[in-house]
């Protein structure tokens, strides 16, 4: 039996703390479920270990942006909170997982569901990414079936996904299928995290701005997140050198796995000066003696 110690909400997501014994059991279940679900999950679902991850998805998106004229990018609204337990358990039965793992997943879903709504899943749990992968499998399959007939390309990272098409007509056909499947899954797209248009105008995906004829750049949302966290650190009393180190680590993340594909225009200096200006920090002569604004990414 799983034992739930406490729960809390953070940034609109529900988190829980399991007992040490339950944590160990869930870690074992993660391995077992991963092995059993591997044949069931689509290769287009990239957040599963060994499928290319976020950076592989970004590389794919950059290549497709140069080959296709139209793109649609979507994010599911309140994905974890919207997962219907009945639908998820039915999909897991179709996948052929063992009765033992079915019972564990049932506990994993029902124990935090104190109001008995029959939907929702905790964030940050050991098996949540696997279950999140399973739930959108019907969408993955529907897009795969459309690919040869409509010449579309599709890629998903958790609930953030892209559909590429050569013509507006073929993109609309794919979107009709997408909405039909999401309706069956009792899901809806996030109204503020969707974009439909041509690839040459650019689109955001997993923290990057992607264009058909340019190198990758950080998305506005990614820069805003950097600024918010930098401001939080500064308000906590860190000095300018600690801010510099934080921005350096962010820049390493930006280029990691994408060497040569991300624009280096302005580099570290431009981003760090932008952060300092937004925080109203003036570099004094004392700062400049100990602070180098040069940062080599090679």
């Amino acid at each position: 039996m799983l034992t739930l110690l406490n729960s809390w909400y953070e940034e609109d997501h529900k988190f829980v703390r399991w007992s040490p014994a339950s944590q160990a059991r869930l870690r074992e279940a993660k391995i077992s479920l991963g092995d059993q679900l591997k044949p069931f999950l689509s290769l287009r679902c990239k957040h599963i270990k060994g499928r290319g991850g976020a950076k592989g998805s970004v590389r794919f998106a950059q290549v497709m942006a140069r080959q296709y004229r139209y793109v649609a990018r979507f994010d599911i609204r309140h994905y974890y909170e919207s997962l219907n337990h009945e639908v998820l358990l039915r999909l897991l039965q179709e996948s052929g997982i063992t009765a033992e793992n079915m019972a564990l997943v049932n506990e994993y879903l029902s124990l935090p569901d104190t109001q008995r709504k029959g939907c929702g899943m905790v964030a940050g749990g050991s098996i949540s990414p696997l279950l999140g992968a399973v739930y959108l499998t019907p969408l993955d399959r529907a897009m795969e079936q459309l690919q040869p007939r409509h010449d579309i390309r599709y890629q998903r990272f958790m609930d953030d996904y892209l559909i590429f098409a050569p013509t507006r007509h073929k993109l609309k056909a794919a979107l009709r299928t997408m909405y039909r499947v999401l309706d069956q899954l009792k899901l809806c797209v996030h109204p503020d995290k969707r974009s439909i248009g041509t690839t040459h105008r650019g689109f955001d995906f997993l923290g990057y701005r992607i264009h058909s004829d340019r190198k990758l750049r950080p998305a506005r949302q990614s820069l805003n997140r950097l600024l918010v966290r930098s401001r939080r650190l500064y308000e906590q009393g860190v000095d300018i050198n600690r801010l510099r180190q934080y921005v350096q680590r962010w820049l390493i993340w930006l280029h990691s796995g994408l060497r040569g594909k991300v624009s280096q225009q302005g580099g570290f200096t431009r981003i760090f000066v932008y952060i300092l200006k937004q925080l109203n920090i003036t570099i004094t002569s004392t700062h400049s003696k100990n602070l180098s604004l040069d940062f080599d990414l090679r």
Side-chain angles (χ1 to χ4, degrees):
M1 293 286 291
L2 294 176
T3 304
L4 182 62
L5 298 181
N6 62 350
S7 63
W8 68 96
Y9 282 90
E10 186 176 319
E11 296 182 352
D12 296 327
H13 292 294
K14 187 170 187 176
F15 291 83
V16 300
R17 187 161 67 94
W18 302 98
S19 69
S22 296
Q23 291 177 16
R25 187 180 173 199
L26 287 170
R27 283 194 294 270
E28 293 176 0
K30 178 182 177 181
I31 298 173
S32 174
L33 273 171
D35 292 339
Q36 292 172 25
L37 290 172
K38 189 174 181 180
F40 182 76
L41 296 174
S42 168
L43 294 176
R44 296 294 93 206
C45 178
K46 296 298 182 179
H47 71 272
I48 299 301
K49 185 177 180 181
R51 298 284 179 85
K55 297 307 174 79
S57 297
V58 172
R59 290 195 297 271
F60 171 87
Q62 188 182 39
V63 172
M64 292 299 102
R66 293 169 179 166
Q67 298 179 8
Y68 286 83
R69 184 176 180 184
Y70 293 94
V71 61
R73 179 254 170 170
F74 296 97
D75 194 309
I76 302 298
R77 184 174 183 268
H78 302 315
Y79 185 50
Y80 271 16
E81 292 79 7
S82 301
L83 300 192
N84 182 279
H85 295 174
E86 183 179 347
V87 172
L88 178 56
L89 292 172
R90 174 174 52 79
L91 288 169
L92 288 169
Q93 280 186 328
E94 292 176 5
S95 73
I97 67 170
T98 63
E100 181 182 1
N101 277 332
M102 277 293 295
L104 180 137
V105 171
N106 216 332
E107 284 188 76
Y108 185 81
L109 295 173
S110 61
L111 282 177
D113 185 18
T114 54
Q115 298 181 0
R116 297 296 179 261
K117 293 182 177 179
C119 64
M121 182 172 65
V122 297
S126 297
I127 61 175
S128 290
L130 276 172
L131 300 181
V134 169
Y135 200 86
L136 279 175
T137 298
L139 177 64
D140 300 338
R141 291 173 178 165
M143 293 298 107
E144 288 170 350
Q145 290 171 2
L146 283 179
Q147 181 172 322
R149 188 165 74 250
H150 292 280
D151 188 25
I152 69 161
R153 292 295 183 272
Y154 165 84
Q155 186 88 311
R156 174 166 74 92
F157 188 89
M158 187 55 79
D159 64 319
D160 200 342
Y161 57 92
L162 298 169
I163 303 172
F164 292 92
T167 67
R168 190 187 302 272
H169 172 74
K170 290 182 177 181
L171 181 60
K172 286 183 176 180
L175 296 185
R176 285 194 295 270
T177 298
M178 179 199 79
Y179 282 115
R180 175 179 55 78
V181 174
L182 292 184
D183 186 58
Q184 294 170 354
L185 294 174
K186 307 180 190 302
L187 298 174
C188 59
V189 297
H190 199 299
D192 300 324
K193 297 180 180 180
R194 51 170 285 176
S195 63
I196 302 172
T198 55
T199 51
H200 81 270
R201 293 181 60 184
F203 58 96
D204 293 345
F205 186 56
L206 300 180
Y208 292 85
R209 185 69 179 172
I210 302 173
H211 287 85
S212 60
D213 56 353
R214 302 180 195 173
K215 285 192 172 184
L216 299 169
R217 286 173 170 78
R220 173 54 56 185
Q221 185 181 20
S222 185
L223 287 171
N224 288 342
R225 191 177 298 116
L226 171 66
L227 177 58
V228 167
R229 292 177 179 173
S230 297
R231 177 175 284 112
R232 189 178 301 157
L233 286 172
Y234 185 61
E235 291 172 349
Q236 291 171 354
V238 303
D239 61 21
I240 195 170
N241 276 300
R242 284 285 303 281
L243 278 178
R244 173 184 182 275
Q245 292 168 8
Y246 179 72
V247 176
Q248 285 179 345
R249 288 196 298 270
W250 178 86
L251 206 60
I252 289 172
W253 163 82
L254 186 72
H255 288 262
S256 176
L258 297 166
R259 301 289 178 174
K261 299 181 182 298
V262 182
S263 172
Q264 296 194 40
Q265 184 178 1
F268 170 74
T269 302
R270 181 178 182 181
I271 294 174
F272 189 52
V273 169
Y274 164 77
I275 294 296
L276 295 179
K277 286 182 178 179
Q278 294 297 313
L279 299 181
N280 294 318
I281 300 175
T282 302
I283 300 179
T284 65
S285 57
T286 303
H287 287 146
S288 61
K289 290 179 181 178
N290 300 315
L291 182 65
S292 171
L293 292 180
D294 294 327
F295 183 59
D296 191 354
L297 285 166
R298 294 173 295 178

